[in-house]
């Protein structure tokens, strides 16, 4: 399974990963629209991102959520009816939703954020 | 399938505006007329949608003396402005109304499945079906193209578990688009008996089968078949989160998400709807002496352990997204997969069975003395696919089993069927007979009221005893709760407009267990508020279950926990978010009160609906037989002392039963007085003109009917 692994001890809370993610998926530098969420209210920072546990897959009524051959949970937006049931069942609060975006969104372990991280606090691994 | 097109109607596709299409579809299957009718401001203001639109349209279509099988009788199916949103749990309901073959008055059923939302998104706020077709037809609404077509229906198989699937595959654009088609159908029993239902399908993508939800009460399937209709089919492929075009999608989504999270956190320790659906109630009802056993004689028996919810949990496939409409995280429509019936035409064939839900488990289980969960599942399967209402089947079968026990019936009269308590083979054979149109099943399928008359006339049975044990009122069979020890629930059942169904008021725990409504005034208030509040679901296209089958963690600390105030506020919020109109909890009740009183007057127009029709059989109120009294003698003797200050010592059981009965019947009369007054009705149960004026339901046709009775 391909997954974005986090190393909070290395995180310096620069939020570069959030910028990279939101810019890639929403063309906006807006942390609210990032699939990875860094909270510097904690020390070390809390790093919230999907662990590909697949709990959401079983909850989706339209089967818009599926698992690809790398073990990554993918959302097919054309099938999504925006019910947000996946958001509610996510055990790590990593299925994201935000103002003005009708469909939920999540980390698909693309790795773009890892390239922006100055401290190697995030890494794509295969488990 | 080689179908001939008999009629076609084309219409313009237009987006819904804030939950409304502002037009309804009229179909006459006899004359083949198909037209679009505008929805007026008056309709929206006074009738809201859903059941309100159904009843309004039906009122125009029928005459005072219309019988269920007259061509002008209508089947109306409406959806409500909130119906079809994918954000808030329980938002996919259709409401079906027709003049019932069992009661002769309007019956209304609230049913899930995808047909309602798809028909609504195809462009219609309601369907109004009238006439009788000389040849069998299906009606097809293509919501992608904007066409309504009537086709011939040479199909051989009409039993729903097969027919719905066949039609979905026939009308879907391709095998990967089966989920965009939904079917309304019934089954072969609806050609022969009155205790029938309609099945509303939804395509289960995971199981790859057509699942079926039932518009169960009052014989809707019989009317459907009498009109020569084999099925209604709808196709709509464009569903999105904003198809209902709400004015404030964000609030709608966030309110839904809040409830999803509540369900996720609380369901496993509250009602376990996700695990076992409403069948979670089985042991709860048995523990409180409320589970109907042997035609409502008893509420508790040790044997009921066989129908404990864990038995059903073990049969239901777990971990599935079992919502009957998208976005319902309560996911209560459980299913038994790969079930192989041991009887009947589908013996040995693996099938998917929807349910059993509580009503079915109690009605087709404990109430007829069956305590094997698999027997209940088999009865459930055949009821659904034959188009038989599991509640009326259970209560009607319980009635004939008690008649058999009492010698009113015997093997000669039942055609050799041994209707002893718990004989599952005999119960199943009754069902198969209903489907084949033969044997004693035809008698049972007429329903309890008709059987009472037949058994008295043809078999010389004591009409008073039949009246006492025959669990029907207004012609409709009781649903499956014991109301003997809850005066408020006796009213909840028997004052219900369409007949004794628990969807108007379920007050047993408030009344009997928690004693929160001790006075007549308290009970009358509850019998005003809850029927009105619950009516609102039927106006909007909503399900009742997410209201109080999940509660916020702090609900018990609120001032009125039985109302679940936070969820009431949710409904206010989502109504405003969709329609953009003002709403509060007072206006909710007023919306309902208008339609509720309209339905009341509609019943009066058709010849029922007054005090004389609101009388329960004594079995719903107290012990009919010595056996029943003695089984709970400590309770009944105690009540003589505590409530009547009568010492039971030295009195015969018959004497004590008489005193108990007189007391309970008098209590019920006092309850009716209190409730009628609270509802703004005369002591005869007739809405006053002053009250109709006050609530804004003083339209001329209503006043005209009421005036006949004042």
């Amino acid at each position: 399974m391909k997954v974005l692994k986090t190393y909070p001890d290395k995180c310096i809370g620069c939020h570069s990963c959030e910028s990279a993610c939101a810019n890639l998926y929403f063309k906006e530098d807006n942390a609210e629209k990032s699939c990875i969420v860094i909270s510097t209210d904690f020390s070390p920072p809390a790093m919230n991102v999907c662990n590909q546990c697949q709990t959401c897959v079983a909850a989706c009524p339209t089967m818009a959520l599926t698992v690809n051959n790398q073990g990554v949970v993918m959302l097919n937006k054309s099938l999504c009816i925006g019910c947000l049931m996946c958001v509610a069942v996510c055990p790590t609060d990593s299925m994201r939703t935000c103002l003005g975006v009708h469909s939920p969104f999540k980390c698909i372990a693309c790795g773009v954020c890892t390239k922006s991280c100055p401290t190697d606090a995030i890494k794509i691994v295969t488990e | 399938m080689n179908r001939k097109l008999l009629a076609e109607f084309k219409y313009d596709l237009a987006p819904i505006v804030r939950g409304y299409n502002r037009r309804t579809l009229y179909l006459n299957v006899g004359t083949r007329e198909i037209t679009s009718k505008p929805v007026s401001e008056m309709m929206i203001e006074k009738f809201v949608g859903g059941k309100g639109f159904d009843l309004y349209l039906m009122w125009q279509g029928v005459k005072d003396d219309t019988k269920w099988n007259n061509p002008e009788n209508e089947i109306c199916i409406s959806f409500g402005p909130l119906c079809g949103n994918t954000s808030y749990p329980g938002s996919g309901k259709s409401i079906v109304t027709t003049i019932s073959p069992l009661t002769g008055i309007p019956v209304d059923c609230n049913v899930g499945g995808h047909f309602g939302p798809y028909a609504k998104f195809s462009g219609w706020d309601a369907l109004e079906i009238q006439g009788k077709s000389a040849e069998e037809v299906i009606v097809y609404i293509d919501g992608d193209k904007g066409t309504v077509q009537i086709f011939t229906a040479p199909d051989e198989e009409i039993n729903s578990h097969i027919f719905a699937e066949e039609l979905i595959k026939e009308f879907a654009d391709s095998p990967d688009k089966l989920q965009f088609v939904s079917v309304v159908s019934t089954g072969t029993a609806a050609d022969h008996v009155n205790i029938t239902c309609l099945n509303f399908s939804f395509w289960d993508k995971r199981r790859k089968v057509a699942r079926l939800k039932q518009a169960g009460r009052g014989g809707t399937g019989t009317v459907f078949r009498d009109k020569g209709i084999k099925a209604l089919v709808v196709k709509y492929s464009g569903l999105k989160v904003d198809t209902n075009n709400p004015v404030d999608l964000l609030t709608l989504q966030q309110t839904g998400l809040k409830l999803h999270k509540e369900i996720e956190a609380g369901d496993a320790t509250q009602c376990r709807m996700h695990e076992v659906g409403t069948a979670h109630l089985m042991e709860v009802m048995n523990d409180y002496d409320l589970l109907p056993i042997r035609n409502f004689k008893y509420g508790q028996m040790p044997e009921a352990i066989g129908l404990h919810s864990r038995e059903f949990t073990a049969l239901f496939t777990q971990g599935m997204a079992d919502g009957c409409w998208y976005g319902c995280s309560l996911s209560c429509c459980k299913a038994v997969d790969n079930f192989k019936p041991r009887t009947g035409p589908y013996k040995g064939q693996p099938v998917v069975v929807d349910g059993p839900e509580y009503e079915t488990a109690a009605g087709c289980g404990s109430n007829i003395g069956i305590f094997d969960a698999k027997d209940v599942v088999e009865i459930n399967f055949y009821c659904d696919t034959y188009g038989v209402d599991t509640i009326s089947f259970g209560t009607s079968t319980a009635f004939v089993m008690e008649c058999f026990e009492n010698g009113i019936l015997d093997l000669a009269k039942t055609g050799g069927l041994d209707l002893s308590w718990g004989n599952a083979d005999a119960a199943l054979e009754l069902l198969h007979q209903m489907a084949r149109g033969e044997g004693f099943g035809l008698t049972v399928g007429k329903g309890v009221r008709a059987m009472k008359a037949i058994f008295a006339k043809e078999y010389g049975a004591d009409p008073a005893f039949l009246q006492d044990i025959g669990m029907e009122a207004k012609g409709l069979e009781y649903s499956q709760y014991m109301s003997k020890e809850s005066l408020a629930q006796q009213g909840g059942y028997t004052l219900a407009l369409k007949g004794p169904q628990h969807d108007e008021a379920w007050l047993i725990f408030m009344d009997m267990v928690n004693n929160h409504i001790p006075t007549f005034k308290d009970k009358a208030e509850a019998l005003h508020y809850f029927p009105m509040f619950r009516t609102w679901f039927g106006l909007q296209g909503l399900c009742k279950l997410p209201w109080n089958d999940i509660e916020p963690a702090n609900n018990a600390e609120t001032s009125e926990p039985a109302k679940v105030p936070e969820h009431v506020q949710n409904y206010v919020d989502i109504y405003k978010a969709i329609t953009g109109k003002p709403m509060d909890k007072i206006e909710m009740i007023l919306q309902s009160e208008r339609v509720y009183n309209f339905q009341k007057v509609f019943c009066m127009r058709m010849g029922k609906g007054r005090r004389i029709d609101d009388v329960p059989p004594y079995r719903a109120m107290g012990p009919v037989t010595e056996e029943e009294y003695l089984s709970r003698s400590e309770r009944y003797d105690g009540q003589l002392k505590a409530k009547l200050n009568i010492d039971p010592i030295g009195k015969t059981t018959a004497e004590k039963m008489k005193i108990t009965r007189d007391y309970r019947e008098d209590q019920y009369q006092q309850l009716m007085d209190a409730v009628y007054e609270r509802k703004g009705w005369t002591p005869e149960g007739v809405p006053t003109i002053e009250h109709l004026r006050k609530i804004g339901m003083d339209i001329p046709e209503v006043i005209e009917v009421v005036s006949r009775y004042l």
Side-chain angles (χ1 to χ4, degrees):
Chain A
M1 180 179 73
K2 195 173 150 193
V3 64
L4 181 68
K5 190 142 183 152
T6 59
Y7 302 89
D9 287 341
K10 294 185 182 176
C11 179
I12 56 170
C14 69
H15 301 283
S16 300
C17 53
E18 293 173 337
S19 293
C21 182
N23 270 316
L24 180 66
Y25 286 98
F26 291 98
K27 316 294 178 213
E28 273 181 58
D29 189 359
N30 178 354
E32 290 294 311
K33 293 184 176 177
S34 168
C35 302
I36 182 168
V37 179
I38 307 299
S39 173
T40 48
D41 294 342
F42 306 93
S43 181
M47 307 177 77
N48 187 311
V49 71
C50 174
N51 62 9
Q52 315 300 340
C53 75
Q54 304 179 17
T55 303
C56 54
V57 176
C60 179
T62 61
M63 296 175 74
L65 288 161
T66 53
V67 183
N68 71 13
N69 56 14
Q70 292 179 300
V72 177
V73 176
M74 305 292 290
L75 174 69
N76 181 341
K77 279 192 184 174
S78 70
L79 293 177
C80 178
I81 42 90
C83 68
L84 307 185
M85 280 161 55
C86 53
V87 177
V89 300
C90 179
T92 57
D93 292 330
S94 305
M95 184 64 81
R96 307 264 295 126
T97 178
C98 83
L99 275 173
V101 180
H102 300 332
S103 293
F105 50 96
K106 66 177 290 297
C107 173
I108 57 166
C110 73
V112 72
C113 55
T114 61
K115 292 168 191 156
S116 69
C117 180
T119 60
D120 289 336
I122 39 180
K123 231 196 297 189
I124 294 291
V125 300
T126 302
E127 292 183 337
Chain B
M1 183 57 60
N2 186 20
R3 301 189 189 283
K4 194 173 129 199
L5 181 64
L6 300 172
E8 183 174 49
F9 174 75
K10 293 184 178 171
Y11 62 95
D12 294 331
L13 296 171
I16 283 179
V17 178
R18 298 179 178 188
Y20 286 100
N21 290 286
R22 291 181 177 258
R23 62 184 174 186
T24 64
L25 178 65
Y26 173 84
L27 283 150
N28 190 312
V29 291
T31 63
R32 315 279 192 240
E33 180 189 358
I34 309 173
T35 55
S36 169
K37 291 184 177 180
V39 168
S40 66
E41 280 300 328
M42 184 282 289
M43 278 177 73
I44 292 175
E45 185 203 331
K46 292 200 185 294
F47 295 91
V48 185
K51 183 166 82 168
F53 279 12
D54 281 347
L55 292 169
Y56 176 76
L57 294 168
M58 237 170 70
W59 179 291
Q60 319 300 322
V62 302
K63 297 179 280 196
D64 291 7
D65 60 352
T66 294
K67 304 298 177 211
W68 71 271
N69 55 355
N70 290 151
E72 72 269 18
N73 187 18
E74 298 194 337
I75 296 174
C76 292
I77 308 174
S78 181
F79 325 113
L82 274 51
C83 176
N85 85 76
T86 57
S87 301
Y88 198 81
S91 293
K93 291 301 194 99
S94 305
I95 292 80
V96 182
T97 63
T98 194
I99 301 296
S100 160
L102 290 166
T103 65
I105 55 176
V107 67
D108 58 281
C109 306
N110 180 313
V111 56
H114 291 181
F115 184 87
Y118 286 174
K120 174 177 170 177
F121 296 147
S122 294
W124 306 106
D125 288 335
L127 311 184
E128 179 188 7
I129 303 169
Q130 203 173 36
K132 280 193 193 192
S133 177
E135 61 182 315
E136 303 274 8
V137 295
I138 65 167
V139 175
Y140 173 50
I141 302 168
D142 187 329
D144 295 337
K145 287 185 184 158
T147 57
V148 181
Q149 295 164 309
I150 301 177
F151 288 106
T152 56
D155 311 76
E156 284 180 15
E157 179 68 76
I158 67 164
N159 287 331
S160 280
H161 81 289
I162 292 174
F163 192 37
E165 193 159 323
E166 286 177 353
L167 290 173
I168 287 170
K169 288 178 176 169
E170 179 181 340
F171 285 92
D173 289 341
S174 59
D176 64 333
K177 293 182 176 171
L178 303 177
Q179 70 272 26
F180 301 134
V181 180
S182 179
V183 172
V184 178
S185 59
T186 178
T188 41
D191 287 335
H192 307 296
V193 300
N194 289 342
I195 55 169
T196 59
C197 66
L198 290 173
N199 289 302
F200 281 54
S201 81
F202 68 97
W203 184 256
D204 187 325
K205 279 182 84 173
R206 287 180 169 87
R207 291 181 170 90
K208 299 182 172 57
V209 294
R211 303 279 305 278
L212 304 172
K213 303 300 291 180
Q214 289 71 42
R217 307 306 325 266
T220 52
T222 308
V223 181
F224 195 76
R225 294 294 299 134
D226 184 64
K227 292 189 173 302
I229 305 171
K230 276 190 176 167
L232 312 175
V233 183
V234 66
K235 182 175 75 180
Y236 178 76
S237 311
L239 182 69
K240 294 287 173 200
V241 66
D242 55 356
T243 305
N244 203 33
N245 206 353
V247 68
D248 179 3
L249 179 58
L250 178 67
T251 297
L252 180 61
Q253 279 194 301
Q254 291 306 309
T255 311
L257 180 56
K258 184 177 70 156
L259 187 56
H260 292 326
K261 287 183 174 175
E262 214 175 285
I263 290 167
E264 177 64 16
D267 180 56
T269 54
Q270 291 186 29
C271 292
R272 297 181 293 122
M273 300 292 273
H274 204 278
E275 176 188 307
V276 68
T278 55
H280 77 90
L281 283 168
M282 294 302 288
E283 58 271 20
V284 179
M285 293 298 109
N286 190 54
D287 288 349
Y288 283 96
D289 204 21
L290 292 168
L291 183 70
I293 295 172
R294 297 192 175 185
N295 195 28
F296 299 88
K297 280 188 194 177
Y298 315 116
Q300 188 179 65
M301 272 179 92
E303 292 90 330
I305 195 80
L307 298 178
H308 191 285
S309 66
R310 64 174 165 258
E311 302 296 331
F312 295 105
T313 301
L315 291 169
F316 294 147
T317 305
Q318 296 295 314
M320 304 290 271
D322 281 328
C324 70
W325 175 241
Y326 299 120
C328 188
S329 44
L330 211 55
S331 293
C332 73
C333 59
K334 313 316 295 178
V336 180
D337 289 306
N338 199 31
F339 182 79
K340 291 180 181 164
R342 59 182 175 79
T343 69
Y346 309 111
K347 179 180 175 179
Q349 297 177 17
V351 294
V352 176
V353 186
D354 279 89
E357 299 181 37
Y358 167 78
E359 294 292 331
T360 304
C364 302
S366 58
N367 212 9
I368 57 177
I370 289 174
F371 296 104
D372 182 319
K374 285 190 176 170
D375 284 337
V376 174
V377 172
E378 180 144 348
I379 294 171
N380 191 162
F381 166 70
Y382 275 113
C383 276
D384 289 353
T385 199
Y386 289 156
V388 173
D389 168 20
T390 57
I391 294 176
S392 281
F393 177 79
T395 301
S396 298
T397 303
F399 174 70
V400 292
M401 284 186 167
E402 186 166 355
C403 288
F404 194 83
E405 181 185 49
N406 280 280
I408 295 167
L409 296 173
D410 54 32
L411 290 174
K413 296 186 179 90
T414 65
L417 283 179
D418 174 6
L419 292 174
S420 300
W421 296 115
N423 188 343
D425 290 346
L428 281 159
E429 182 54 22
L430 282 176
L431 260 179
H432 300 317
Q433 289 180 349
M434 289 178 198
R436 295 194 301 265
E438 64 182 41
F440 192 65
L442 285 180
T443 303
V444 178
K446 291 178 193 295
V448 171
R449 178 164 285 197
M451 283 194 285
K452 287 194 297 193
I454 293 168
F455 297 171
K457 188 178 169 197
E458 296 187 10
Y459 306 147
D462 174 8
F465 180 69
L466 294 174
Q467 173 57 30
D468 280 351
I469 67 165
M471 287 294 282
E472 61 84 17
K474 302 184 178 80
L476 187 70
E477 288 72 28
Y478 273 69
S479 68
Q480 309 297 335
Y481 296 98
M482 294 285 284
S483 55
K484 284 178 185 162
E485 301 309 314
S486 168
L487 180 59
Q489 188 57 34
Q490 292 165 26
Y493 265 138
T494 320
L495 304 179
L497 296 178
K498 65 170 163 273
Q501 169 78 354
H502 54 283
D503 63 343
E504 276 202 15
W506 197 90
L507 303 172
I508 297 179
F509 269 43
M510 263 183 101
D511 188 33
M512 178 191 116
V513 179
N514 299 324
N515 198 26
H516 283 162
I517 44 175
T519 67
F520 285 111
K521 196 177 170 195
D522 296 334
K523 292 182 207 302
E525 182 57 35
L527 283 166
H528 168 70
Y529 176 81
F530 288 102
M532 296 312 153
F533 180 71
R534 286 165 171 253
T535 292
W536 200 77
F537 296 122
L539 305 184
Q540 306 295 345
L542 298 176
C543 174
K544 163 264 164 194
L545 298 177
W547 162 53
N548 69 349
D549 281 71
I550 178 74
E551 292 178 354
N554 65 349
N555 189 56
E557 295 152 28
T558 60
S559 58
E560 294 181 292
K563 293 183 179 176
V564 198
E566 184 177 323
H567 289 181
V568 175
Q569 187 59 44
N570 285 353
Y571 290 116
V572 169
D573 292 343
I574 65 168
Y575 178 91
K576 290 198 286 192
I578 289 172
T579 67
K581 294 179 169 192
M583 177 55 63
D584 57 34
K585 60 185 183 180
I586 295 166
E587 178 59 23
M588 284 174 88
I589 299 301
L590 194 55
Q591 278 191 334
S592 294
E593 207 171 356
R594 290 189 199 103
V595 175
Y596 189 90
N597 277 272
F598 183 80
Q599 185 170 355
K600 168 83 172 168
V601 177
F602 202 159
C603 293
M604 290 165 49
R605 181 185 172 207
M606 307 312 288
K608 281 186 186 167
R610 290 175 293 147
R611 189 180 186 112
I612 50 172
D613 302 304
D614 284 348
V615 179
Y618 187 61
R619 176 60 61 72
M621 306 167 77
V624 171
T625 62
E626 289 207 358
E627 170 196 26
E628 282 168 85
Y629 189 97
L630 293 172
S631 76
R632 271 82 177 146
S633 58
E634 196 178 329
R635 173 192 299 158
Y636 296 132
D637 284 356
Q639 288 177 359
L640 289 178
K641 264 189 189 163
K643 294 188 176 179
L644 295 168
N645 201 24
I646 291 173
D647 187 352
I649 294 170
K651 292 199 162 38
T652 66
T653 304
E655 286 169 341
K656 291 188 289 187
M657 285 172 65
K658 172 80 168 57
I659 298 167
T660 298
R661 181 168 187 155
D662 288 346
Y663 172 71
R664 290 185 176 212
E665 288 181 338
D666 178 65
Q667 291 279 296
Y668 183 78
Q669 292 296 325
Q670 290 188 57
L671 177 78
M672 278 201 286
D673 289 337
V675 174
Y676 289 169
E677 187 182 353
R678 175 62 187 89
K679 288 187 189 240
W681 301 347
T682 70
E684 294 310 307
V686 179
T688 64
I689 290 173
E690 183 191 7
H691 180 67
L692 292 169
R693 207 165 277 146
K694 188 177 136 199
I695 62 174
M697 192 35 79
D698 54 336
I699 57 178
E701 54 265 51
V702 167
I703 298 296
E704 192 274 316
V705 171
V706 165
S707 299
R708 296 179 206 168
Y709 296 96
L710 290 173

